[in-house]
Amino acid sequence: ALIILFLGLAPSELWFLPAVRGDIPPGCAAHGFVCDGTRILVFGGMVEYGRYSNDLYELQASRWLWKKVKPQAPSTGSPPCPRLGHSFSLYGNKCYLFGGLANESEDSNNNIPRYLNDFYELELQHGSGVVGWSIPVTKGILPSPRESHTAIVYCRKDLGNPKMYIFGGMCGCRLNDLWELDIETMTWSRPETKGTVPLPRSLHTANVIGNKMYVFGGWVPQSAGGEISAHDGEWKCTGSFSYLNLDTTEWIGLISDCQEDKSNLLPGPRAGHCAVAVGTRLYIWSGRDGYRKAWNNQVCCKDLWYLDTEKPPAPSQVQLIRATTNSFQVKWDEVPTVEGYLLQLHADLPVPSVAGIPGTGVPETSVLSSQGSSQITLCPQTSANVGELHDLDKRTVNPDASVSSTVSSTQTMVTQQAVKTESSSTNGAVVKDETSLTTFNSKSEAAETTYVTPSTRVNTGQTNDSHSSKTPQRQMAPVKTRDRQWYDVGIFKNNSAVVSQFYLLPEETLNISNKVTEGADVPDYRLLKKQDLFPGTVYRFRVAAINACGVGPFSKISEFKTCIPGFPGAPSTVKITKSVDCIHLSWEPPASPSGNILEYSAYLAIRSTQLQENPSQLVFMRIYCGLKTSCIVTAAQLSNAHVDYTSRPAIVFRISAKNERGYGPATQVRWLQGKVRVQGST
């Protein structure tokens, strides 16, 4: 049976039994398994006691369709014989098969084991199907025959050649030797290692995260008097955990074999389990525990654990879905395998409106100069005692409100009992991106930040159009970076939030440095005062992801402006349809028109020399003005469009509405090769 585990969901939603069809393989154990995009390849394994397989199956997970595939035989030699306990590793468009255990007897009831050290390469076709087996000609000394070993592939970013590493296994006794295969030159070698080598083991797991190979569990010899027999007739399961730095070939022990765990904060000893790396998180599932002396008393584990190996990466910039006079609805791209997000803001002074200027999207275009050093101040970040371990079932993070969260600054193991329309629209002003504030240098944070409105840097090609000239810019007083104060909006479980308030800090905490201090106390938001958002005010946002290791780096900064009463909101539900020689752009009126809508304007981001000098400041040309909620964009207009590469390549449009008071904020959309991504309002 194929059972799917969805990681990151609630315990009751984790498991899913898909309705598969096609050439469904028989149940088997100790098979080879690789995942290539949305397809899974399964080779070999034990179908029943003493009867092994050399069949190859492919599952297209997008359709839950199984297919038995028949690779071509090698041009020289025989195809792989039936086996179990082999390794099956994927790199590029090829799988590498090494070793395993075969049955020399034709009678499955009379098992005569033969350990293997043969090596095969399987070439895959793109998307589906395989080409065939080959037997590479290798140099150096082959690893000794073995089964129940592990094999991983690693390629350093700065040094080209991919390497396959084989560790441990079983060949009459447990092994703990390490072998390296240079896949480019097909050369075997035994790298010299530093540190304490893990105990000999089989049926363990090995996974690569970054430049480290994490080795957990397995059968290890049951030593007597501290000595390990060459032929280990008795063995036990282990819960020991180590990693090998693949750049320095140094072993580092994380959990020793004799480490006590009276509080059940670590995964118990086990062998034959499975482990998978998702991003920087390692998941461990199931396995069995027991001793050689007690075959009949082994226990199958049914627990799911994960290890966060480092703090999560920075999320994408905060995007605005909707703004009102005193609130924002914001979102950001999801970061895999995190427990929550810390959202922060800081506010500039309210921006006064500029009267008498037709066509202003936000009633003023202003420039904010940022000078001084990059010394930032903010409130204390969430953290916990070093080495604290967590049970996910006992932690709560409110998806809609701010809550305290406990995180740790070290590698932490967490147990979990077994348990696009790509859209946003923003109101307010989107401004120049800035680098993450966790990076400190002597340069100023930004030389200039401009609030972009439909009347800013717009070229209609008509000299008599009021939109062809720049709106006068009002210079604000310089605000030094070190004078800015970041405030917590809260910690959120999901990647979206409605922001109408933020938390004020006690006076004694206002001057702490902008570094996530390890061991700092988690703010108790219940004891802090809240501050409401003001109309017509620019707020800067940043967000950081949180896992068991702590708070990661902050995202780049986004700026948005709350609406000014009386102006219309941004148009919504933007749709783009493509025809042979043009595209059709349509939208819905603002939810809050604040009076009668007099006209709409649509703008297209175009190529310009100004854009080359400052890529974050788009230059727009008006392509439509009228009462209709739709327009045609011609091929001639599109030929002059700027392609934005800040994420995926896209053409950028803005649409705004005008009432008696003037233009309100514009909805900004990114057209992704036929798909619309509503990005923001300005």
Side-chain angles (χ1 to χ4, degrees):
L2 176 69
I3 302 177
I4 304 300
L5 172 64
F6 286 102
L7 301 174
L9 300 180
S12 60
E13 302 170 330
L14 281 171
W15 294 104
F16 168 62
L17 185 63
V20 295
R21 54 196 175 91
D23 305 324
I24 300 174
C28 61
H31 52 273
F33 181 100
V34 297
C35 181
D36 177 29
T38 58
R39 68 169 164 176
I40 293 170
L41 292 167
V42 177
F43 173 77
M46 182 174 66
V47 179
E48 60 185 44
Y49 180 78
R51 188 163 70 89
Y52 308 153
S53 169
N54 62 348
D55 292 332
L56 179 66
Y57 289 88
E58 176 187 270
L59 172 68
Q60 288 291 343
S62 59
R63 294 176 289 159
W64 301 122
L65 178 64
W66 281 106
K67 181 174 66 174
K68 186 176 182 179
V69 292
K70 297 181 179 180
Q72 297 176 9
S75 56
T76 58
S78 302
C81 66
R83 66 189 66 202
L84 61 73
H86 47 283
S87 59
F88 198 48
S89 308
L90 174 70
Y91 183 77
N93 69 329
K94 294 179 179 178
C95 291
Y96 297 95
L97 170 69
F98 177 80
L101 180 70
N103 185 1
E104 287 284 80
S105 173
E106 296 182 359
D107 181 7
S108 61
N109 294 321
N110 182 25
N111 195 6
I112 303 176
R114 176 167 65 95
Y115 294 99
L116 306 170
N117 68 341
D118 49 358
F119 180 60
Y120 287 86
E121 183 179 86
L122 176 65
E123 184 177 353
L124 308 181
Q125 292 178 347
H126 179 71
S128 178
V130 299
V131 177
W133 295 106
S134 63
I135 303 176
V137 177
T138 61
K139 293 173 280 188
I141 301 174
L142 273 171
S144 60
R146 66 193 63 207
E147 57 102 359
S148 298
H149 55 282
T150 55
I152 60 95
V153 179
Y154 170 70
C155 184
R156 287 183 61 164
K157 293 181 179 179
D158 55 341
L159 299 174
N161 286 11
K163 308 286 182 64
M164 184 170 77
Y165 292 89
I166 289 176
F167 176 72
M170 172 70 175
C171 183
C173 64
R174 268 72 192 174
L175 306 170
N176 65 345
D177 49 348
L178 179 70
W179 293 83
E180 175 187 289
L181 173 69
D182 187 314
I183 293 177
E184 294 291 333
T185 64
M186 284 295 164
T187 302
W188 289 101
S189 63
R190 287 198 61 178
E192 293 184 5
T193 63
K194 300 181 286 288
T196 303
V197 180
L199 290 173
R201 65 192 61 212
S202 63
L203 284 176
H204 53 288
T205 53
N207 302 84
V208 176
I209 299 177
N211 66 341
K212 299 177 178 65
M213 178 178 76
Y214 290 88
V215 175
F216 174 74
W219 292 108
V220 297
Q222 177 71 38
S223 59
E227 296 183 0
I228 298 175
S229 169
H231 296 281
D232 47 300
E234 296 182 358
W235 55 88
K236 66 174 184 177
C237 286
T238 182
S240 57
F241 190 47
S242 304
Y243 72 79
L244 175 70
N245 185 312
L246 296 167
D247 294 337
T248 63
T249 62
E250 180 178 7
W251 285 104
I252 303 294
L254 298 175
I255 302 173
S256 67
D257 185 61
C258 58
Q259 184 169 331
E260 292 188 8
D261 180 31
K262 295 180 179 179
S263 301
N264 295 320
L265 297 177
L266 301 172
R270 66 193 65 206
H273 53 284
C274 59
V276 62
V278 179
T280 59
R281 177 176 284 184
L282 179 67
Y283 287 89
I284 296 170
W285 162 250
S286 192
R288 63 180 187 268
D289 180 21
Y291 292 84
R292 176 64 182 87
K293 291 180 178 179
W295 274 107
N296 296 329
N297 295 322
Q298 292 189 54
V299 177
C300 286
C301 308
K302 294 183 180 179
D303 50 353
L304 174 67
W305 295 77
Y306 68 79
L307 170 75
D308 282 320
T309 60
E310 59 187 59
K311 293 179 181 179
S316 65
Q317 282 180 282
V318 176
Q319 305 165 26
L320 224 56
I321 299 173
R322 185 176 295 104
T324 67
T325 56
N326 58 3
S327 70
F328 297 112
Q329 184 179 354
V330 297
K331 70 180 287 291
W332 50 92
D333 290 345
E334 218 170 22
V335 179
T337 66
V338 298
E339 297 179 26
Y341 302 90
L342 172 64
L343 182 64
Q344 292 186 332
L345 65 73
H346 82 67
D348 292 336
L349 293 175
V351 181
S353 61
V354 177
I357 301 177
T360 53
V362 175
E364 178 184 33
T365 299
S366 59
V367 177
L368 175 65
S369 296
S370 302
Q371 301 174 352
S373 66
S374 295
Q375 183 63 35
I376 315 298
T377 59
L378 80 165
C379 62
Q381 303 304 317
T382 57
S383 62
N385 295 330
V386 174
E388 185 173 354
L389 300 169
H390 307 288
D391 186 329
L392 191 60
D393 292 339
K394 298 176 182 177
R395 298 184 48 141
T396 57
V397 181
N398 190 330
D400 302 316
S402 313
V403 298
S404 61
S405 177
T406 310
V407 293
S408 171
S409 58
T410 60
Q411 290 182 339
T412 307
M413 188 75 79
V414 182
T415 176
Q416 182 172 356
Q417 298 301 325
V419 278
K420 285 195 176 170
T421 70
E422 297 185 1
S423 70
S424 66
S425 76
T426 55
N427 295 297
V430 177
V431 300
K432 178 179 177 182
D433 299 346
E434 297 185 35
T435 55
S436 170
L437 294 186
T438 56
T439 302
F440 296 91
N441 53 49
S442 60
K443 298 180 181 179
S444 63
E445 183 184 4
E448 181 177 285
T449 303
T450 304
Y451 304 115
V452 182
T453 70
S455 60
T456 306
R457 291 184 293 285
V458 171
N459 179 16
T460 64
Q462 303 175 12
T463 57
N464 61 347
D465 194 313
S466 63
H467 286 267
S468 63
S469 61
K470 293 184 180 180
T471 302
Q473 296 179 341
R474 175 171 177 172
Q475 186 75 23
M476 301 285 290
V479 180
K480 291 185 178 181
T481 303
R482 64 175 176 268
D483 294 333
R484 294 195 177 114
Q485 176 61 47
W486 288 95
Y487 298 94
D488 284 7
V489 176
I491 296 174
F492 299 87
K493 180 177 176 59
N494 299 320
N495 61 323
S496 63
V498 175
V499 182
S500 59
Q501 299 174 318
F502 57 91
Y503 291 97
L504 296 175
L505 296 172
E507 288 294 327
E508 61 269 17
T509 61
L510 284 176
N511 295 317
I512 35 183
S513 168
N514 183 44
K515 293 183 179 179
V516 179
T517 54
E518 296 184 2
D521 292 332
V522 177
D524 188 346
Y525 293 122
R526 296 171 299 179
L527 304 179
L528 299 181
K529 293 182 179 179
K530 296 179 181 179
Q531 174 65 57
D532 294 332
L533 302 189
F534 294 103
T537 305
V538 174
Y539 292 91
R540 310 178 107 206
F541 285 90
R542 66 182 189 179
V543 65
I546 304 170
N547 65 11
C549 288
V551 180
F554 281 95
S555 65
K556 293 181 180 180
I557 295 171
S558 299
E559 291 194 11
F560 309 110
K561 186 177 181 180
T562 48
C563 296
I564 296 177
F567 288 85
S572 61
T573 321
V574 179
K575 296 180 180 179
I576 299 177
T577 55
K578 184 179 180 181
S579 61
V580 177
D581 57 351
C582 66
I583 64 171
H584 184 261
L585 193 64
S586 65
W587 56 90
E588 296 291 334
S592 53
S594 299
N596 296 322
I597 299 298
L598 303 181
E599 67 183 28
Y600 296 95
S601 285
Y603 301 87
L604 170 67
I606 59 172
R607 295 190 296 270
S608 74
T609 55
Q610 294 181 27
L611 194 58
Q612 294 174 0
E613 296 170 359
N614 192 354
S616 64
Q617 297 296 315
L618 300 179
V619 178
F620 286 84
M621 176 180 72
R622 188 166 68 177
I623 55 176
Y624 170 78
C625 182
L627 271 172
K628 292 183 178 180
T629 57
S630 64
C631 69
I632 298 294
V633 187
T634 65
Q637 291 170 324
L638 289 173
S639 65
N640 195 34
H642 163 70
V643 179
D644 180 39
Y645 289 93
T646 52
S647 53
R648 283 179 284 177
I651 296 173
V652 181
F653 295 95
R654 285 179 177 172
I655 305 164
S656 59
K658 180 183 179 182
N659 65 7
E660 293 85 351
R661 297 235 8 219
Y663 272 95
T667 296
Q668 179 167 299
V669 299
R670 289 166 50 86
W671 186 40
L672 305 173
Q673 296 294 321
K675 295 182 180 180
V676 183
R677 179 177 184 178
V678 183
Q679 184 188 45
S681 302
T682 60

